[in-house]
């Protein structure tokens, strides 16, 4: 039974008419199409560059096709690899194409946006609840770019965290079957497997649910805990096989920072980028004072909105717990010295957007045209955040991946089957060659070698089938050198 310690005020919808439903679906369609067009434009611009990280994700997918799937990112102590499992059969069928990376990543993110809208429906009028997913879909240039980039663990982690949060919101307000607790736990575990930072919104939400449902905790706690362990089982299995390295032997971050420094990074860089107020190099996209004022206003609206949600219903308490402590908890993450693409902000966007949408729900719920107003607000928000970013960074139309394609052609012409070099160079070659060329990052070069399978294959090749890219081992002599698109390739003879 539910505890009576917190007030219940269910979000009852205004009776929908045929015209009201049509307005809502039209608004959703416009926002959805706008997000697709924005992604197409960005992918076709200089921002469509396939990075070494994306090449590594593709090589991880090739590893799956070779029967060597990773539980965690290779040479890493964290990071789920679900995207690699999804990508692998598609690479097998369609081959290595940039648009395949963009479509698969965007599709996972789009499903997460739909799940966010479904979760918000627990506490908001259905004509407005979809705004949470719509705002996420057009959040900012940095988040849009992140959503279509094939990183491992981020988009899938977001999807599972939203599923878990949505289920916990329902469980706070309603008596539901025991399997619902189990599914919520599995989704939470899978999210944390994707990236440990997804524990930031999920752990406080779980604790809030436990407190509110403490009167019948014996009935469901085992299901929630058991589901969490099952969802986290890839992470636990990897650790069991590797001496619990994530807990006992986790490597230090590349740059040591204090908690205060990371907190400053969160306020000054991470979240302003996530809301489209700062750009990639850290520049303000609007005049600095205006940008600061907008950011402070957003923070106030979000956090006061979260408190309002906490008084509205038990489901609101779950959201409040999930988002209210986001900043101090995210700042505890040691790798936060780097925030250029706002990726670490993704973990708390959904509860924060729910806190922001409280105000829209309060203002528009009684209006017959609420869906139209909601759609207009989402599009204006996207124009101010994503549109400004696009104007600054994605106006240049260029074949930014031509360098990688040219390198692959040069290597194929020479009959090269393996390359050795820096992480950021060779993993792109591995992707654009569609795994015809295997890759290896030697230990003396910065950047870990993520694929043992690929590295072993390179080392087993005859010397005349291997090339060095922007790198030459100590004592080696380059007898035949070619520069392709600014990249120096040394061929063994």
């Amino acid at each position: 039974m539910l505890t009576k310690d917190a007030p219940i005020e269910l979000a009852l919808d205004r009776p929908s008419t045929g015209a009201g439903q049509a307005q809502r679906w039209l608004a959703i369609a416009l926002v959805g199409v706008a997000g697709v067009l924005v992604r197409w434009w960005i992918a076709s611009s200089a921002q469509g560059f396939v990075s070494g990280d994306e090449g590594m994700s593709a090589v991880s997918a090739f590893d799956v096709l070779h029967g060597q799937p990773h539980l965690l990112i290779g040479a890493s102590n964290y990071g789920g690899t679900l995207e690699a499992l999804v990508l692998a059969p598609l690479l097998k069928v369609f081959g290595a194409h940039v648009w395949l990376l963009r479509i698969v990543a965007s599709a996972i993110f789009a499903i997460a946006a739909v799940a966010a809208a479904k979760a918000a429906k627990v506490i908001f009028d259905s004509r407005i609840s979809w705004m949470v997913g719509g705002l996420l879909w057009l959040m900012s240039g940095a988040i849009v770019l992140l959503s279509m980039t094939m990183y491992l663990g981020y988009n899938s982690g977001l999807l599972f965290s939203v599923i878990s949060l949505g289920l916990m919101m329902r469980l706070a307000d309603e008596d539901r079957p025991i399997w619902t607790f189990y599914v919520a736990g599995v989704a939470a575990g899978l999210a944390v497997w994707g990236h440990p930072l997804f524990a930031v919104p999920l752990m406080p939400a779980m604790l809030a649910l436990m407190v509110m449902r403490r009167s019948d905790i014996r009935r469901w706690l085992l299901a929630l805990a058991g589901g969490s362990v099952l969802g986290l089982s890839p992470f636990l299995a990897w650790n069991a096989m590797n001496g619990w390295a994530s807990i006992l032997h986790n490597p230090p971050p590349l740059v040591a920072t204090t908690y205060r420094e990371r907190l400053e990074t969160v306020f000054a860089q991470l979240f302003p980028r996530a809301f489209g107020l700062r750009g990639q190099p850290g520049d303000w996209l609007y005049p600095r004072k205006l940008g600061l004022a907008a950011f402070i206003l957003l923070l106030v609206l979000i956090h006061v909105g979260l408190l309002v949600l906490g008084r509205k219903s038990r489901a609101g308490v779950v959201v409040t717990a999930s988002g209210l402590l986001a900043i101090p908890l995210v700042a505890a993450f040691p790798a936060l010295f780097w925030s250029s693409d706002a990726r670490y902000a993704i973990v708390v966007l959904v509860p924060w957007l729910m806190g922001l949408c409280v105000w829209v729900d309060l203002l528009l719920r009684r209006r017959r045209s609420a869906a139209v107003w909601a759609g207009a607000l989402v599009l204006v928000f996207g124009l101010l955040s994503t549109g400004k970013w696009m104007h600054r960074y994605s106006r240049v139309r260029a074949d930014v991946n031509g360098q990688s394609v040219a390198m692959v052609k040069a290597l194929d012409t020479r009959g090269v089957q393996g390359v050795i070099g820096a992480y950021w160079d060779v993993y792109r070659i591995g992707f654009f060659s569609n795994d015809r060329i295997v890759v290896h990052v030697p230990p003396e070069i910065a950047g870990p070698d993520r694929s043992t399978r690929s590295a072993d294959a390179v080392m087993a090749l005859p010397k005349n089938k291997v090339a060095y890219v922007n790198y030459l081992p100590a004592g080696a002599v380059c007898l035949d050198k070619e520069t392709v698109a600014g990249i120096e390739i040394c061929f063994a003879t």
Side-chain angles (χ1 to χ4, degrees):
M1 297 294 293
L2 291 171
T3 177
K4 297 181 179 180
D5 291 347
I8 296 180
E9 183 187 319
L10 297 179
L12 300 176
D13 288 351
R14 183 185 180 92
S16 296
T17 63
Q21 290 183 359
Q23 289 177 353
R24 177 162 60 94
W25 284 111
L26 177 61
I28 292 172
L30 288 174
V31 170
V33 170
V36 171
L37 292 176
V38 163
R39 284 162 173 79
W40 168 79
W41 181 265
I42 292 175
S44 304
S45 74
Q47 297 298 318
F49 178 71
V50 174
S51 68
D53 280 337
E54 290 189 279
M56 181 274 297
S57 298
V59 171
S60 298
F62 290 135
D63 288 348
V64 174
L65 296 177
H66 285 276
Q68 297 184 30
H70 302 283
L71 295 176
L72 299 184
I73 297 173
S76 173
N77 287 355
Y78 71 91
T81 53
L82 184 72
E83 281 86 352
L85 298 175
V86 173
L87 188 61
L90 297 174
L91 285 172
K92 181 72 173 179
V93 174
F94 299 105
H97 298 286
V98 175
W99 281 104
L100 183 62
L101 300 181
R102 302 288 170 256
I103 291 171
V104 173
S106 296
I108 297 173
F109 191 88
I111 297 171
V114 172
K118 286 284 189 181
K121 196 173 180 180
V122 178
I123 51 179
F124 296 135
D125 185 300
S126 62
R127 297 167 303 155
I128 295 168
S129 60
W130 68 270
M131 274 191 70
V132 175
L135 289 171
L136 186 65
W137 186 235
L138 291 175
M139 179 72 194
S140 65
I143 297 300
V144 168
L145 182 60
L146 176 66
S147 75
M148 53 192 282
T149 302
M150 184 50 70
Y151 292 138
L152 298 182
Y154 286 91
N155 288 358
S156 61
L158 175 66
L159 172 59
F160 287 121
S161 71
V162 172
I163 290 173
S164 181
L165 181 64
L167 287 173
M168 285 191 283
M169 290 166 63
R170 292 188 180 277
L171 289 166
D173 267 342
E174 307 169 13
D175 282 314
R176 300 181 70 87
I178 198 71
W179 63 263
T180 315
F181 291 96
Y182 186 76
V183 175
V186 171
L190 288 171
V192 176
W193 170 47
H195 197 290
L197 257 182
F198 283 104
V200 166
L202 292 176
M203 288 304 296
M206 280 189 176
L207 291 174
L209 179 63
M210 289 179 181
V211 170
M212 287 185 293
R213 299 215 51 165
R214 61 187 179 274
S215 61
D216 62 341
I217 195 168
R218 292 182 181 180
R219 184 176 73 87
W220 56 263
L221 180 59
L222 188 60
L224 184 66
S228 299
V229 171
L230 180 63
L232 200 56
S233 59
F235 176 83
L236 297 174
W238 182 91
N239 271 280
M241 293 184 293
N242 292 274
W244 302 99
S246 289
I247 299 172
L248 302 177
H249 308 292
N250 207 31
L254 296 177
V255 177
T257 55
T258 64
Y259 181 79
R260 179 178 177 177
E261 289 172 334
R262 295 194 296 272
L263 201 58
E264 291 174 354
T265 299
V266 168
F267 275 109
Q269 298 290 339
L270 182 65
F271 287 117
R273 279 191 176 96
F275 280 100
L277 298 171
R278 300 196 81 154
Q280 291 166 317
D283 55 322
W284 287 95
L285 298 183
Y286 293 93
R288 183 174 179 274
K289 290 183 178 179
L290 178 62
L292 279 172
F295 181 57
I296 293 171
L297 177 62
L298 282 169
L299 286 182
V300 171
L301 289 175
I302 287 168
H303 287 82
V304 175
L306 288 170
L307 293 175
V308 171
L309 278 178
R311 294 183 59 84
K312 187 174 183 177
S313 68
R314 290 188 175 91
V317 173
V318 171
V319 179
T320 302
S322 179
L324 205 57
L325 298 177
I327 289 177
L329 291 178
V330 168
F333 186 57
L336 199 62
F337 67 89
W338 188 81
S339 63
S340 296
D341 62 1
R343 68 178 67 180
Y344 299 136
I346 196 174
V347 298
V348 297
L349 291 183
V350 171
W352 274 26
L353 290 176
M354 289 185 186
L356 190 61
C357 285
V358 167
W359 306 106
V360 181
D361 188 60
L362 292 173
L363 292 171
L364 299 181
R365 176 180 293 211
R366 297 184 181 277
R367 289 182 175 268
R368 291 184 179 275
S369 56
V372 175
W373 280 98
L377 287 172
V378 172
L379 290 174
V380 169
F381 183 91
L383 179 64
L384 294 174
S385 59
T386 302
K388 182 69 173 179
W389 184 95
M390 290 171 62
H391 178 73
R392 179 74 62 88
Y393 297 114
S394 62
R395 285 182 296 173
V396 178
R397 325 304 290 169
D399 181 13
V400 289
N401 294 304
Q403 179 194 66
S404 300
V405 174
M407 283 193 292
V408 170
K409 287 182 178 178
L411 294 166
D412 281 338
T413 300
R414 299 289 192 110
V416 170
Q417 297 176 8
V419 295
I420 301 175
Y423 174 97
W424 303 107
D425 297 322
V426 300
Y427 279 107
R428 289 187 286 130
I429 292 172
F431 167 68
F432 282 102
S433 72
N434 199 26
D435 203 37
R436 294 190 309 276
I437 301 173
V438 288
V439 300
H440 171 48
V441 181
E444 62 269 22
I445 293 183
D449 205 342
R450 303 293 192 183
S451 173
T452 303
R453 184 269 311 176
S454 187
D456 290 344
V458 172
M459 302 310 292
L461 289 171
K463 288 186 177 181
N464 63 346
K465 296 294 182 181
V466 176
Y468 299 99
V469 177
N470 269 352
Y471 163 76
L472 194 64
V477 177
C478 185
L479 301 178
D480 191 3
K481 183 168 61 175
E482 181 177 345
T483 300
V484 178
I487 300 294
E488 187 176 280
I489 306 174
C490 182
F491 299 94
T493 57

